[in-house]
Amino acid sequence: MKGLCIDLFKNYSLGLAGTAGVGTGTRSSRAFTHPFQRRRSNYQNQKHFSSSKLTCSSYSTKPCSATLSAVTAEVEEAKQTFNPEKAGLLVKELRKSFNSGRTKSYEWRRSQLENIAKMLEEKEKEITEALYKDLSKPEIEAFISEIVQARSSCNEALKELKHWMVPQKVSTSITTYPSSAEIVSEPLGVVLVISTWNFPFLLSLDPVIGAISAGNAVVLKPSEIAPATSSLLANLVEEYLDNSAIKVVEGAVPETTALLEQKWDKILYTGSARVGRIVMAAAAKHLTPVILELGGKSPAVVDSDVNLEVAVRRIMAGKWALNNGQACIGVDYIITTKDFAPKLIEALKYGLEQFFGKDPMNSKDISRIVSSTQFTRLAKLLDEDKVSNKIVLGGQMDEKQLKIAPTILLDVPEDAQIMQEEIFGPLMPIVTVEKIEDSFSVINSKPKPLAVYAFTNNEQLKKGFVDNVSSGGMLINDTVLHVSISGLPFGGVGESGMGSYHGKFSFDGFSHKKAVLYRGFAGDSDLRYPPYTPEKQRLFRAVINGDIFTIILALIGWSK
Ligand code: NAD
C-alpha cells in the first residue's frame, strides 16, 4: 500500500508539473521525495497560509494505513493544494497590509529585524539541527556560513537602517532655481523571495532581511530540497514575525508556479539559470523587476609563485569545507600551468588528508550530497569514459549515504560534461595551460562565472584579472570571503545572474529610488511660458549654456 500511495503521489506530481508547463519529470518527482512538504502546504492553505505545527510523523503514517479510496481522496485533496487562486488571495492579503502603510514605518522595520535577531539567538540549535538533517552540514560550518552571516546582515541592517532611509540630497541646476532635490527610497510593495537548498537558511533569510529593511511585505518560498530547513523557516516566521506582512509558502514546482503567476513588485530568485529563465519569463508578464542570483563555473587560478600551503588550504575551504562543493561561489575547477600541476596536486592530496583524514567518506567534517537526484547527476559526470580515467584522487561514492569523496581530476577534455556544466559538488577538475596568462581565455571562453579566484603574487597578473576577466565577483589570493564584505555587492553577471544584494545593496534592491524635486512659488520666470519670443529664446539658450554674461545682457535687454 505504501508503494501504491507513493506512486499515486508521484503520478500526480508529474501531471501537475506538466500542466504548469515548467517542470521536468526529474524535478517533479524530486518534489515528491518529501511528501510531508505537500501535506504541510495543504494544511497551510486551510489555515490561510500560516505555517502549520504538524509533525512529520503525523503526516507520514497516514498514506501507509489508508485505503485506496482514502488515497484517492488524499490525491484529490492534494489537487486543492496551493494554487494560483490561493496564491492570489495571499498576495491580496499582503497588499492590504502594505497599503495600510504599516510596513513603511521605521518602527515596524526595526521591530521585525529585532525579532529576527532574537530568533537567531534563541533558535541556533534548531537551525543547526535542520541543516544537519538536510545536508549533514557540520555544526561549525552551519554556524559560520549560515547563522553568523544571517546575524551580521541583520545587525548591520539594524545599525544602518536609519541612515539608509534618509533621503539622499542631490544638487539642482540653474534651470530649476530656486529648488532642492532628493532621492527618496520607497518600498516597492509586495515582494517574492524564492530560495534554494544549499545554504537553505541564509539564502532564505538574507534577502528577507533586505526586503523588510526596505519596508516591503514579503513572501518567502524556501526550497523543497531542504525540507527540514523549509519547515523550520515556516514555523519561525510564524512565531517571530508579523504574519500579516511576512509569510512563508512551502512547496515545490506547483507552488512556485502558482506564486509566479501573481503580480509582485519584485522577485529575488536564487537557484539555477534554467529556473531563472522561468522566473524571468513569468515576471515579464507583469513587468516585475527581478534579481537573479544564479551560479556558474567559478574557477581558481593558481600561479606558481604563491605560498602553496596557504593557497591550497583556502581552495579546499572554498570547495570541500563549503557544503562539500555544493555552493554557488565554491571553486568549480582549478587552472594552473602544466609545470606546476604535479606540485599543486601533491599539496591538495596532503591538505585533504589534513582536513578530512585518510577516509574522507567517514569524516564528520564534510557535508553529504543533498539528494539522490544530485548524487546521480554527479556520478554521471564522473562516469563519462573520458573523465573517469582522469581521476588522480578520490572517486569513492556511497549512494546509500549520499556521500562522494573529494575527487581531483587532471586534464579532463573540454567537451566533457563536467567542463560544460556547473559541478556543484566535490569533484574538482584541474585544467592545465602553458602560461598562467592563458587562463584569461579559458575563463572568458565560458559563460561569465559568479566568482573568479586568482592566486598570485604578480601584481601585473592581478591587474590583468581585474581588467580582462568578467565575473560577478573576484577575489585575489583567497576564496569565498568577498561575500562577507557587506560593502561589496553580491550578484552575478550574464549567465551567473543580474542585480545584487547584501548590506545596503539589499536595501536598495528592494527599494524604488524616487526622484523628488522641491520648488516654492518664488522665481516664476516668464521664460518657460508662451508666447515664445526671440528674446526668451536667447535668454533660454544662455541659461541652458550656463553663459552668465549673456544671461545678464538678456536680463537687462542688451542681448542680440
Ligand atoms: P532548487 O532546486 O532548490 O531551486 C531553487 C528554487 O526554485 C526552489 O525554491 C524551487 O522550488 C524553485 N523551482 C525549481 N524548479 C522550478 C520550476 N520549474 N518552476 C518554478 N520554480 C522552480 O535549486 P537549484 O536550482 O538546484 O539550485 C542550484 C543552483 O543555484 C546552482 O546553479 C547554484 O549555483 C545556484 N545558487 C546560486 C546562489 C547565489 O546566491 N547566486 C546561491 C546558491 C545556489
Side-chain angles (χ1 to χ4, degrees):
M1 176 52 87
K2 188 174 178 183
L4 174 64
C5 304
I6 291 169
D7 277 353
L8 274 171
F9 266 82
K10 271 189 183 156
N11 291 340
Y12 169 60
S13 87
L14 287 170
L16 251 189
T19 41
V22 285
T24 63
T26 328
R27 284 271 165 184
S28 312
S29 53
R30 233 214 278 180
F32 272 77
T33 47
H34 309 293
F36 173 53
Q37 293 311 115
R38 174 148 311 283
R39 182 66 187 168
R40 283 185 54 90
S41 294
N42 291 341
Y43 189 69
Q44 282 173 345
N45 295 335
Q46 288 155 18
K47 287 188 69 193
H48 302 283
F49 319 108
S50 62
S51 60
S52 88
K53 297 273 186 269
L54 267 184
T55 63
C56 195
S57 57
S58 75
Y59 168 68
S60 55
T61 52
K62 242 195 163 179
C64 314
S65 59
T67 63
L68 183 57
S69 62
V71 174
T72 314
E74 186 116 354
V75 174
E76 278 310 307
E77 188 194 333
K79 282 183 187 162
Q80 301 304 313
T81 193
F82 194 79
N83 57 23
E85 197 190 336
K86 289 186 175 150
L89 288 173
L90 169 67
V91 176
K92 208 169 158 190
E93 187 191 337
L94 290 202
R95 204 165 285 289
K96 204 170 147 201
S97 298
F98 177 76
N99 289 342
S100 76
R102 198 170 66 256
T103 67
K104 289 184 189 172
S105 74
Y106 170 75
E107 289 70 27
W108 183 87
R109 304 183 201 196
R110 188 169 182 91
S111 71
Q112 298 310 304
L113 293 171
E114 279 169 352
N115 287 349
I116 291 177
K118 187 165 170 252
M119 172 187 101
L120 289 168
E121 205 63 49
E122 292 176 354
K123 301 293 178 183
E124 191 180 308
K125 189 165 162 278
E126 286 83 346
I127 298 164
T128 313
E129 280 170 4
L131 291 169
Y132 190 80
K133 269 190 206 151
D134 286 333
L135 290 146
S136 299
K137 201 170 266 200
E139 194 178 329
I140 295 188
E141 221 184 294
F143 180 68
I144 295 172
S145 63
E146 305 232 25
I147 299 170
V148 169
Q149 292 295 318
R151 222 178 251 172
S152 76
S153 274
C154 190
N155 290 342
E156 183 178 4
L158 276 166
K159 191 165 146 242
E160 301 297 337
L161 186 58
K162 241 187 193 146
H163 299 133
W164 293 346
M165 287 176 70
V166 172
Q168 190 192 328
K169 292 273 173 222
V170 292
S171 50
T172 55
S173 73
I174 191 163
T175 48
T176 63
Y177 183 84
S179 66
S180 66
E182 62 187 14
I183 302 167
V184 174
S185 295
E186 66 176 21
L188 290 164
V190 183
V191 302
L192 174 65
V193 171
I194 305 173
S195 171
T196 186
W197 53 262
N198 61 339
F199 293 84
F201 188 78
L202 176 71
L203 297 178
S204 297
L205 202 61
D206 209 355
V208 169
I209 289 170
I212 292 172
S213 305
N216 298 282
V218 52
V219 171
L220 165 67
K221 215 299 288 170
S223 174
E224 70 282 11
I225 314 292
T229 311
S230 171
S231 171
L232 180 69
L233 279 162
N235 285 330
L236 294 183
V237 165
E238 186 182 65
E239 187 181 336
Y240 283 88
L241 300 180
D242 173 0
N243 293 163
S244 68
I246 307 163
K247 303 267 194 196
V248 173
V249 172
E250 288 189 87
V253 176
E255 288 79 4
T256 317
T257 307
L259 287 169
L260 285 174
E261 282 185 26
Q262 311 311 311
K263 177 168 173 53
W264 302 92
D265 297 301
K266 186 116 189 192
I267 300 174
L268 186 148
Y269 167 80
T270 304
S272 64
R274 184 185 71 80
V275 178
R277 286 178 165 82
I278 294 170
V279 170
M280 199 167 169
K285 289 193 182 137
H286 299 286
L287 279 184
T288 296
V290 291
I291 294 176
L292 299 180
E293 293 287 340
L294 312 176
K297 288 184 85 61
S298 300
V301 180
V302 186
D303 196 2
S304 55
D305 67 350
V306 297
N307 177 331
L308 190 55
E309 193 189 337
V310 175
V312 159
R313 280 158 69 94
R314 292 178 179 177
I315 289 171
M316 293 187 304
K319 178 79 167 182
W320 299 285
L322 189 70
N323 208 20
N324 204 4
Q326 303 167 103
C328 57
I329 44 162
V331 180
D332 189 275
Y333 65 105
I334 293 175
I335 309 176
T336 193
T337 56
K338 271 192 178 30
D339 294 344
F340 195 62
K343 231 175 145 183
L344 176 63
I345 291 170
E346 280 318 301
L348 281 165
K349 283 181 179 171
Y350 176 77
L352 281 167
E353 195 176 317
Q354 297 291 306
F355 270 25
F356 305 116
K358 282 198 185 317
D359 179 12
M361 293 293 274
N362 283 314
S363 170
K364 293 204 174 1
D365 294 326
I366 195 160
S367 300
R368 66 163 162 79
I369 305 305
V370 70
S371 66
S372 51
T373 311
Q374 289 297 327
F375 184 94
T376 310
R377 183 185 63 79
L378 289 162
K380 238 169 112 183
L381 291 182
L382 213 51
D383 265 4
E384 226 184 316
D385 281 345
K386 51 189 165 194
V387 173
S388 52
N389 62 355
K390 301 289 182 185
I391 297 174
V392 292
L393 180 78
Q396 302 92 325
M397 296 189 183
D398 179 345
E399 189 165 7
K400 234 168 114 198
Q401 308 276 333
L402 295 178
K403 287 195 168 179
I404 300 178
T407 298
I408 299 173
L409 304 108
L410 182 61
D411 280 332
V412 169
E414 183 54 36
D415 62 352
Q417 196 53 26
I418 198 171
M419 288 313 297
Q420 296 296 312
E421 69 175 53
E422 182 183 4
I423 297 170
F424 221 58
L427 319 177
M428 178 85 97
I430 298 179
V431 173
T432 59
V433 288
E434 291 299 331
K435 319 187 292 303
I436 202 70
E437 289 78 7
D438 297 342
S439 58
F440 295 178
S441 56
V442 174
I443 303 169
N444 289 337
S445 69
K446 297 179 185 299
K448 294 179 180 181
L450 190 56
V452 167
Y453 306 115
F455 289 84
T456 180
N457 273 315
N458 179 337
E459 293 304 322
Q460 230 178 333
L461 193 64
K462 289 180 197 171
K463 190 170 170 347
F465 274 105
V466 176
D467 290 350
N468 300 311
V469 178
S470 180
S471 57
M474 188 170 279
L475 178 46
I476 309 292
N477 290 333
D478 211 325
T479 61
V480 174
L481 289 186
H482 60 304
V483 301
S484 66
I485 308 294
S486 65
L488 290 174
F490 175 58
V493 55
E495 196 73 8
S496 56
M498 61 183 70
S500 59
Y501 73 122
H502 282 193
K504 179 151 190 297
F505 299 100
S506 298
F507 175 86
D508 290 340
F510 284 108
S511 300
H512 165 60
K513 301 291 174 188
K514 188 159 73 182
V516 182
L517 180 68
Y518 297 93
R519 297 206 70 205
F521 292 99
D524 193 46
S525 161
D526 273 350
L527 191 59
R528 61 192 274 211
Y529 304 122
Y532 303 119
T533 61
E535 288 72 31
K536 280 186 181 175
Q537 196 179 104
R538 267 198 299 276
L539 186 53
F540 198 78
R541 280 181 194 281
V543 169
I544 294 294
N545 293 333
D547 180 352
I548 298 293
F549 186 61
T550 318
I551 295 172
I552 294 168
L553 287 183
L555 285 173
I556 57 177
W558 282 7
S559 64
K560 295 177 199 153

